[in-house]
Amino acid sequence: MPPLRVLITNRSLATRSGTELYLRDLALALAARGHRPIVYTPDPGEIAAELTAAGVAVHADLATIGAPPDVIHGHHTAPTVAALRRFPRTPALYVCHDRTFREDTPPRLPRVYRHVAVDDNCRERLVEAGIPAHRIRIVFNAVDLGRFTPRGPLPGAPARALVFSNYASEATHLPAVREACAALRLPLDVIGAAQGRSQAAPERALGRYDLVFAKARCALEALAVGCAVVLCDFRGLGPMVTRAEAAELRRWNFGMRVLGRALEAGLIRGEVERYDARDAAAVSAWVRESAGLGTCVGKLEGLYREVIEEHRAAPVAGRRQEARAAARALREAGGRSPLRAWLGRLPLLGRALVTLKRAVTGSGGPRRR
């Protein structure tokens, strides 16, 4: 199969949060498989620099991308719509990463042939948005097993604990977790942006901890390393991840839908007391067997080729139809159509013209008596 030029969009690459790291891992994996990933973000930053250093082209301006890509892999509505406008003959798929974030609103556009949900929660959002069932797929989030390698066997009782979350602060779940660990005489550390302790390479730190409090991607990475994990974040408390529950919890991305209990120290302590070193090892083995990055990227490759073939056989949508659909998608995601953006600039243009007139004629200022 010939290699593909894949344009991946994201609203920002300036922080180490979910979609930024997903994009980084995907782009690097596609390049390793012989494809040519190209990245567009209007807000480049730390992750963009990482990709550039690894040889992946990152563009803050779509006009600087030359040849059209074979397929657009869209994250976030506004940059996805911008990419489709820049390349009017290129098909796309769109990945929904969040149930509630407005900029993750699924764009209902003629050339978006597949909408991918990262879990059942996001799939529900796609259905509720009116995306036809035949266009929806689920591709669960994954972990780079080459980076997150197994730690040694866990001790019979946890000796060190970690809160692994960009949202951990005195205003969220950190005080309750700290209180629970203090009652158990369990030393606790924190990794996360809110505490000024973001980690570029968390894989180097995770193996030093026996128990980790995390959700979503952070939970999956800790599980892959072999830590026992209690699902816990600013949204609420979930369970200790056990082998019996792991598959069901992954269906919801270890995320918001399973964080339904109050952030109370007593409840958190109860989950910590479910710690079982053997069961945690079984969970880790299952994650490493079923949730590797290679499986995820292989599924996306297959969807790219499906999208390209379907587009070749599809009738061409009219420009007006596409323009109306794009404007609707931007409104639903809280953005502005090009016309509305232009109209919004008219007051600024008017003031600029007045200033220019004053500069040229010397008129318009206060009259001197």
Side-chain angles (χ1 to χ4, degrees):
M1 302 288 278
L4 298 174
R5 284 172 54 85
V6 183
L7 174 58
I8 314 170
T9 73
N10 213 71
R11 63 188 290 271
S12 174
L13 288 178
T15 61
R16 294 187 174 276
S17 58
T19 58
E20 287 90 333
L21 297 177
Y22 179 104
L23 184 153
R24 179 202 63 190
D25 290 352
L26 171 63
L28 295 177
L30 287 172
R33 289 173 175 238
H35 300 293
R36 186 178 174 190
I38 310 153
V39 175
Y40 164 62
T41 178
D43 182 28
E46 186 178 358
I47 302 299
E50 277 188 36
L51 288 168
T52 301
V56 175
V58 179
H59 298 261
D61 182 353
L62 285 164
T64 62
I65 301 175
D70 297 304
V71 66
I72 295 166
H73 175 126
H75 298 157
H76 305 123
T77 309
T80 302
V81 170
L84 285 163
R85 284 176 169 153
R86 170 69 176 86
F87 299 106
R89 297 182 181 179
T90 301
L93 63 75
Y94 181 83
V95 181
C96 179
H97 287 270
D98 190 273
R99 177 62 184 262
T100 59
F101 186 45
R102 192 169 184 185
E103 292 186 48
D104 253 319
T105 302
R108 293 173 291 165
L109 300 169
R111 281 186 287 131
V112 179
Y113 292 92
R114 295 291 181 273
H115 285 259
V116 177
V118 299
D119 66 357
D120 282 1
N121 201 23
C122 290
R123 184 186 185 282
E124 288 180 1
R125 181 175 191 176
L126 296 177
V127 172
E128 291 168 5
I131 304 302
H134 72 275
R135 290 197 169 194
I136 297 175
R137 300 290 187 274
I138 295 179
V139 180
F140 293 125
N141 279 336
V143 60
D144 184 346
L145 300 178
R147 291 181 60 215
F148 292 87
T149 56
R151 54 158 289 158
L154 289 171
R160 293 187 71 187
L162 174 72
V163 173
F164 184 22
S165 166
N166 282 331
Y167 304 100
S169 74
E170 298 304 319
T172 59
H173 58 298
L174 184 56
V177 174
R178 187 187 292 120
E179 182 181 344
C181 289
L184 294 165
R185 298 177 182 266
L186 181 59
L188 180 70
D189 293 333
V190 182
I191 291 176
Q195 291 292 295
R197 298 172 186 168
S198 184
Q199 282 267 0
E203 65 274 15
R204 298 176 188 170
L206 284 170
R208 298 197 294 267
Y209 298 94
D210 309 316
L211 177 69
V212 175
F213 298 91
K215 72 169 178 65
R217 180 188 180 95
C218 293
L220 189 63
E221 291 171 347
L223 291 169
V225 168
C227 307
V229 172
V230 172
L231 299 179
C232 181
D233 211 281
F234 71 99
R235 293 185 184 275
L237 174 66
M240 171 77 75
V241 180
T242 64
R243 182 63 187 88
E245 298 176 281
E248 178 65 18
L249 293 169
R250 191 182 180 216
R251 283 185 54 212
W252 304 100
N253 193 33
F254 306 103
M256 64 178 290
R257 286 286 286 275
V258 297
L259 303 176
R261 286 185 293 163
L263 291 166
E264 297 177 1
L267 295 176
I268 295 170
R269 179 175 176 175
E271 290 303 321
V272 174
E273 289 172 342
R274 298 177 65 198
Y275 175 93
D276 183 316
R278 287 187 179 181
D279 192 72
V283 174
S284 185
W286 176 79
V287 165
R288 298 191 69 82
E289 180 181 339
S290 62
L293 181 62
T295 300
C296 170
V297 176
K299 290 179 180 179
L300 290 171
E301 279 182 305
L303 290 175
Y304 296 156
R305 298 194 188 277
E306 277 186 30
V307 162
I308 291 167
E309 290 303 315
E310 190 166 332
H311 181 61
R312 286 173 180 163
V316 177
R319 289 187 178 180
R320 289 185 179 179
Q321 177 189 356
E322 286 217 350
R324 286 195 296 267
R328 181 190 66 229
L330 288 173
R331 286 195 304 272
E332 291 172 348
R336 294 190 295 174
S337 69
L339 176 60
R340 290 178 67 84
W342 184 82
L343 290 173
R345 290 197 297 269
L346 283 180
L348 297 175
L349 292 172
R351 287 197 293 272
L353 289 173
V354 169
T355 301
L356 179 62
K357 178 183 177 182
R358 289 173 178 172
V360 172
T361 66
S363 65
R367 293 184 180 181
R368 294 182 179 178
R369 293 186 179 181

